Amino acid sequence: MAQAISMSEGDLTGEAQALIDLGCIYLRQEQYGLAEEQFAQARTLCALATDEEAEAEALDWLMPAAFLQRKFDDLRSYCMDACGIYTRLGKPMSKRCVEISDFLRGLEDGTQHARLTPKLVLYN
């Protein structure tokens, strides 16, 4: 319903938020592919609206969807894109982005000091 209202008003960021909300429902239902699709659509709408803060939020949700599917190349891309946005905005990275950056560094250097669990990825 919220998505339909946003679409009729031409509110791309509002529509993106509705897609993020739907994606979160899919994550909780362990439908990670469907969640990723919603978050990706939300990111596209945020980019079209030139709302980088909302785009970073969409990326923050794309990360757990990719992690839970073990799509580590996508995870790395989403994390790097989010870090770039946070840097451009002069804002600190989200806690999720920091945790995933640490995890990715652990994968790259073979130490795997950063251990992520689905709970940590989803709720930070």
Side-chain angles (χ1 to χ4, degrees):
M1 176 65 112
Q3 184 178 0
I5 293 169
S6 294
M7 286 174 63
S8 69
E9 295 175 356
D11 177 11
L12 295 177
T13 302
E15 184 180 347
Q17 187 57 57
L19 289 167
I20 288 170
D21 293 344
L22 181 58
C24 289
I25 291 168
Y26 285 137
L27 273 182
R28 287 186 199 98
Q29 294 175 342
E30 298 180 5
Q31 296 183 51
Y32 307 130
L34 290 173
E36 186 176 19
E37 288 175 25
Q38 302 309 306
F39 300 139
Q41 288 178 35
R43 180 188 183 188
T44 298
L45 291 175
C46 293
L48 289 171
T50 62
D51 185 341
E52 285 193 310
E53 200 165 326
E55 185 178 356
E57 180 184 357
L59 285 161
D60 272 354
W61 284 108
L62 274 163
M63 287 184 264
F67 172 80
L68 291 165
Q69 296 176 86
R70 302 296 190 245
K71 293 180 170 181
F72 296 130
D73 288 337
D74 291 343
L75 178 65
R76 180 174 287 105
S77 176
Y78 298 147
C79 188
M80 290 176 61
D81 290 350
C83 289
I85 290 172
Y86 288 123
T87 299
R88 276 193 305 280
L89 295 175
K91 294 188 173 216
M93 288 192 306
S94 68
K95 186 172 182 179
R96 181 177 292 131
C97 197
V98 170
E99 293 288 341
I100 288 177
S101 292
D102 290 344
F103 170 77
L104 291 169
R105 264 192 295 286
L107 281 181
E108 289 170 3
D109 66 19
T111 61
Q112 293 195 343
H113 287 298
R115 300 230 185 261
L116 291 180
T117 64
K119 183 178 178 185
L120 181 65
V121 171
L122 287 172
Y123 301 107
N124 278 329

